[in-house]
Each structure stands twice: as structure tokens, then as C-alpha cells.
Amino acid sequence: SNAAYVIVIDNPAIDLVTNSSSVAINGTSNVANFKVHIFIDGMYFNTFSTDSSGDWDAGNSPSLSIGNHIVST
């Protein structure tokens, strides 16, 4: 079987506008106990593992400057 691994970022939401300098980063995957690599503005942030349900939680981002930012896997 050639099943694809799917990683979804639930937070921050697309087009999130906030007054906070830090945002929650979390999501889901279709794979349990899988490593998720998180990048902020193209720079490596950290690696987190999905739990037995495929959920993952990176906690809060580091302090971000005012402006647009991209969170990706």
C-alpha cells in the first residue's frame, strides 16, 4: 500500500489576525507516533510527535514581530 501521510495545521488558522506576539501551533495527522517538523517563516522551529490518535501540539510559537508570518511542516 502507498498510503500518503497527511499532516494538517489546525492552529494558527489561515489568515489569523491577532494582537499576540505568540500563537498556538497544533494539528492532526493520519499517522500515530509520527514526527512533525515545524517551520516558521521557512526557519526550523522544532520537531514534535503525534500521539496515538494522530494529534500533535507544538505549544506556542516564539515571540514574533508585527507582520505576516508563515507556519508550515
Side-chain angles (χ1 to χ4, degrees):
S1 169
N2 291 329
Y5 298 125
V6 178
I7 301 169
V8 176
I9 298 173
D10 294 326
N11 287 300
I14 294 173
D15 295 331
L16 170 72
V17 176
T18 181
N19 292 338
S20 177
S21 63
S22 181
V23 295
I25 303 173
N26 57 54
T28 57
S29 173
N30 65 338
V31 182
N33 305 311
F34 187 74
K35 293 198 181 306
V36 178
H37 305 284
I38 302 296
F39 298 83
I40 300 175
D41 297 331
M43 302 293 292
Y44 175 76
F45 170 54
N46 212 332
T47 299
F48 303 90
S49 294
T50 62
D51 64 18
S52 60
S53 298
D55 297 328
W56 58 272
D57 187 349
N60 288 336
S61 70
S63 184
L64 301 171
S65 62
I66 294 173
N68 296 326
H69 298 280
I70 297 172
V71 176
S72 61
T73 60

